[in-house]
Amino acid sequence: LALGALAGWAMAHPLFAIRGVTVAGDVNHNNALTLRANVAPRLRGTFFNLDLAQAQSAFEALPWVRKATVQREFPNRLKVSLQEHRAVAYWGAQGESRLLNSFAEVFDANVGELEQEALPHLNGPADQTQAVLAMYQALQPSFAALDLVLDELHLSARGSWSATLDTGAELELGSGGVPELLARTTTFVKTLTQVTARYGRKPDALESADLRHEQGYAIRLRGVSTVAAEVVAPKPQ
């Protein structure tokens, strides 16, 4: 009874009420004012009876926070380590503000706080974020060799890939995994300069390309037509 009474006294004593929080880790998007306004009201209890899981949830509800680790510091403080999302792409249709982090997890945040503005736009089925991000990371270096940027990558519900370059060129990449698409893209990139040079153009003149052909690809270049002009015979006088 004495021990129980002592424990009850300790849990209720103002000395053990949470007086401060030490935050470490990633704090690029959250400052002391943000923490005080959004988290402090949800921290209920003392050093002894504070629900750490609830406190963790309160910190993870903050914008940009991916994971929080909360520990007690005797007699009346908390020590918190934050891991923030690192945005690597936009996710969803054009105009949507959802972001994709480096773990291929979708999250919502204020895009105005992005440190990088030139992020690619990725899209596909909700359960295929890992596959879409992996495909983008595999293909982008190939286009970078020609000073082109893979601006958009889309995976359809039927498993077909399509892409858009920063020049506006639209590409049909076909279906398959990373090895298949990387092989097609590598062949395309290695020969594109030679093909465009035939018409006095550079790779950035590419308007569209279809890589779904087994033995090659089809392209369209801005300002170049392969359709013969129709010859109209003069009318008899």
Side-chain angles (χ1 to χ4, degrees), residues 142-154:
S142 297
F143 293 102
L146 294 178
D147 291 327
L148 298 174
V149 177
L150 190 59
D151 192 47
E152 299 178 26
L153 182 63
H154 175 75

Side-chain angles (χ1 to χ4, degrees), residues 195-217:
V195 175
T196 56
R198 289 184 184 180
Y199 301 95
R201 297 292 189 274
K202 294 182 178 180
D204 59 6
L206 182 69
E207 190 173 272
S208 64
D210 191 339
L211 278 60
R212 295 173 294 182
H213 303 277
E214 291 185 6
Q215 302 299 322
Y217 54 83

Side-chain angles (χ1 to χ4, degrees), residues 18-22 47 71-73 75-79:
I18 301 300
R19 300 286 185 180
V21 179
T22 302
F47 175 84
Q71 297 175 311
R72 294 182 176 91
E73 277 193 333
N76 54 17
R77 295 185 64 85
L78 294 178
K79 181 179 180 181

Side-chain angles (χ1 to χ4, degrees), residues 110-188:
N110 182 2
V111 296
E113 297 177 358
L114 278 172
E115 297 173 359
Q116 297 175 262
E117 293 184 3
L119 292 178
H121 289 78
L122 308 182
N123 195 10
D127 61 346
Q128 294 296 314
T129 55
Q130 289 274 4
V132 177
L133 180 59
M135 185 66 76
Y136 169 80
Q137 292 171 336
L139 298 182
Q140 170 53 31
S142 297
F143 293 102
L146 294 178
D147 291 327
L148 298 174
V149 177
L150 190 59
D151 192 47
E152 299 178 26
L153 182 63
H154 175 75
L155 174 63
S156 71
R158 295 185 177 183
S160 181
W161 296 89
S162 59
T164 303
L165 302 181
D166 61 334
T167 59
E170 297 181 354
L171 312 179
E172 291 293 342
L173 305 176
S175 59
V178 169
E180 292 86 359
L181 265 69
L182 187 57
R184 292 178 211 149
T185 302
T186 300
T187 300
F188 172 69

